[in-house]
Amino acid sequence: LSKYLKLLSPKYQYAVGKGSTGRGLTAYAVKDEILATWCLQAGSVVLASGGICVVDEVDKMDKEEQQHLSECMSDQTVTISKAVKGTLKAETSILACANFKGGRFDPFQNVFQQIDFPIWMINRLTLIFVLKDIIDEERDKNIVKTVLRKWKGSEAIKPAISVNLLKKYIIYSRENIFPTFSTEAEIELENTYLGLRRTIGKMGEEKLSTIPINTRVFESLLAMSQASARMRLSSKITKEDVFIAKDILFSSLKQIAFDVEKQTFDIEIIEGG
């Protein structure tokens, strides 16, 4: 899935956590032996600025190396202050992929007991999704047929939208579509954020549950609402775009921050495991 993005993204970098250093992902200073001066060398995240950088097996990285990603994930910049000083732009979407500690997902354990991510990184990820290998006979049959077609050398199954057309569509929308928020969308975003900050549901008798959400989550809602409007090539971000952004956010939260016993969201699961 992560490598398939290479076909769709106008700007793409791929790095494997175990074989990557923090400097190689962000930036580092190198000495030019001919000119006898120091210069900055851009890493994967900087090279992918304006596009996507996939960091596969990020759980295999050393904790110190992971820390290099902190600045670019929060501020979208990379600062070097060693042999040479400078700040590089890193307006990059980071897709971090990781395996579960036990090799597969355990439905009887909390998600965060099964992944080796530092809390600061979890807090900087806009969305987190759990990929589960669920037994589904119809789906499994389709997988068998697809793999057999490949082995037999049959013609590949064509996607509904060709890769080239979808890539052009993405480039066009990013370069030409700059939607603004409608009044209805602004009101819906405000209500959503304030609603999440307030009490969201009752448990038991009159005991209430709250969900502390910070402004980073609000900015994520803004970005996803804008992306939804761009997909429609629309100049206006509508209330429906906000609904789509909410659905995506809630879908992620339900997988990673949902208390099954209390039947409500609980961000403390993310914050404190």
Side-chain angles (χ1 to χ4, degrees), residues 181-189 191 237-240 242:
F181 286 93
S182 65
T183 306
E184 280 187 337
E186 287 183 8
I187 293 169
E188 187 59 38
L189 280 162
N191 290 339
I237 299 168
T238 65
K239 191 162 66 171
E240 284 68 31
V242 178

Side-chain angles (χ1 to χ4, degrees), residues 3-66:
K3 286 187 177 178
Y4 195 78
L5 279 174
K6 185 177 184 179
L7 303 175
L8 299 177
S9 180
K11 215 171 180 186
Y12 172 93
Q13 288 287 318
Y14 180 84
V16 180
K18 196 170 184 179
S20 302
T21 63
R23 296 193 319 153
L25 283 173
T26 52
Y28 54 95
V30 291
K31 191 170 185 179
D32 189 314
E33 298 297 335
I34 299 172
L35 300 174
T37 57
W38 289 86
C39 59
L40 285 177
Q41 186 75 40
S44 300
V45 175
V46 176
L47 290 172
S49 186
I52 292 175
C53 180
V54 174
V55 186
D56 205 354
E57 296 190 3
V58 73
D59 54 312
K60 305 289 193 303
M61 289 179 70
D62 293 335
K63 296 291 181 281
E64 289 182 11
E65 302 295 352
Q66 286 178 344

Side-chain angles (χ1 to χ4, degrees), residues 180-193 218 221-222 225 232 234 236-244 246:
T180 54
F181 286 93
S182 65
T183 306
E184 280 187 337
E186 287 183 8
I187 293 169
E188 187 59 38
L189 280 162
E190 183 180 330
N191 290 339
T192 300
Y193 180 65
F218 181 59
L221 280 169
L222 295 175
S225 300
R232 296 186 297 103
S234 172
K236 276 286 178 192
I237 299 168
T238 65
K239 191 162 66 171
E240 284 68 31
D241 294 314
V242 178
F243 289 154
I244 289 170
K246 280 169 62 177

